[in-house]
């Protein structure tokens, strides 16, 4: 007897998603904050939220995370309503529970007790078919920090350009 194949009345299983599929990224977070610790968290979502994410629609720009009662919660992330959804559609900006290990939550809670530290979402993606959120404990940058970082990046680009021109001669 060989491997099981579906008969006329059975439905074949859907093939499992492979790899990482990026849905949304928060590029502004790396500009506004100094990233210290990065964590990967699962996200508790409803069915219509998953369908909206698979369509590639979400915004992390206004999002932040909060530790409340030993649980991590995601606030301010916008997942628009699913266009083919009915009355079961979700609220676009509801708070969502993050799935993390207890020691990770305790570590983040301890880090955010310091002045100027917060937890920000960096990217939202599917990994092996499951929704994951990359979050980071971050420290807010002052305006002069941002200008200094831009200046350093510009200086590095100019140095690389000069080396490339010298090499091409």
């Amino acid at each position: 007897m060989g491997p099981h194949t579906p008969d006329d009345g059975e439905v074949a299983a859907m093939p499992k998603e492979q790899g990482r599929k990026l849905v949304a990224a928060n590029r502004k977070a790396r500009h506004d904050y100094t990233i210290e610790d990065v964590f990967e968290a699962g996200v508790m979502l409803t069915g219509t939220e998953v369908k909206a994410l698979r369509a590639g629609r979400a915004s992390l720009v206004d999002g932040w995370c909060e530790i409340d009662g030993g649980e991590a919660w995601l606030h301010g992330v916008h997942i628009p309503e699913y266009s083919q959804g009915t009355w079961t559609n979700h609220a676009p900006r509801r708070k969502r529970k993050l799935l993390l290990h207890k020691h990770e939550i305790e570590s983040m809670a301890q880090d955010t007790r310091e002045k100027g530290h917060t937890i920000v979402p960096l990217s939202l993606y599917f990994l092996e078919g499951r929704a994951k959120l990359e979050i980071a404990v971050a420290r807010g940058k002052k305006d002069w920090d941002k200008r200094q970082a831009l200046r350093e990046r510009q200086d590095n680009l100019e140095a690389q350009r000069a080396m490339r021109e010298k090499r091409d001669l």
Side-chain angles (χ1 to χ4, degrees):
M1 196 117 206
H4 179 74
T5 56
D7 295 332
D8 291 330
E10 293 183 46
V11 177
M14 293 277 298
K16 187 167 171 116
E17 261 186 75
Q18 298 295 315
R20 180 176 162 157
K21 179 188 169 202
L22 185 66
V23 176
N26 188 359
R27 292 180 297 204
K28 189 177 175 186
R30 294 191 187 276
H31 176 72
D32 292 342
Y33 299 96
T34 301
I35 306 301
E36 294 181 358
D37 286 333
V38 178
F39 298 91
E40 181 182 71
V43 187
M44 284 185 70
L45 301 171
T46 63
T48 55
E49 287 175 322
V50 174
K51 287 179 177 270
L53 287 178
R54 288 200 190 280
R57 303 172 60 206
S59 173
L60 300 175
V61 174
D62 298 330
W64 79 95
C65 299
E66 199 172 82
I67 307 295
D68 184 27
E71 296 178 333
W73 294 90
L74 178 65
H75 295 271
V77 170
H78 185 263
I79 300 175
E81 289 186 350
Y82 182 56
S83 58
Q84 282 85 39
T86 59
W87 58 273
T88 59
N89 243 334
H90 62 278
R93 287 200 186 268
R94 73 178 188 91
K95 75 177 191 177
R96 296 163 179 94
K97 186 174 181 179
L98 296 178
L99 306 173
L100 291 156
H101 291 286
K102 188 173 186 170
H103 64 88
E104 292 175 326
I105 293 173
E106 290 169 354
S107 170
M108 284 191 292
Q110 186 175 0
D111 290 344
T112 56
R113 284 188 196 110
E114 296 176 29
K115 187 175 179 358
H117 284 75
T118 187
I119 305 169
V120 293
L122 299 178
S123 62
L124 181 63
Y125 53 91
F126 283 100
L127 183 66
E128 304 294 328
R130 298 183 189 272
K132 300 287 182 180
L133 182 72
E134 187 175 55
I135 57 176
V137 174
R139 182 175 39 87
K141 283 185 183 178
K142 304 284 187 220
D143 284 339
W144 62 269
D145 284 335
K146 295 175 190 177
R147 286 193 297 270
Q148 184 177 355
L150 283 171
R151 195 173 306 118
E152 286 176 11
R153 190 173 4 185
Q154 194 172 16
D155 290 345
N156 286 339
L157 286 173
E158 288 175 9
Q160 288 175 352
R161 191 175 302 123
M163 287 191 293
R164 195 178 321 116
E165 288 174 2
K166 185 76 169 172
R167 196 174 38 229
D168 290 343
L169 292 178

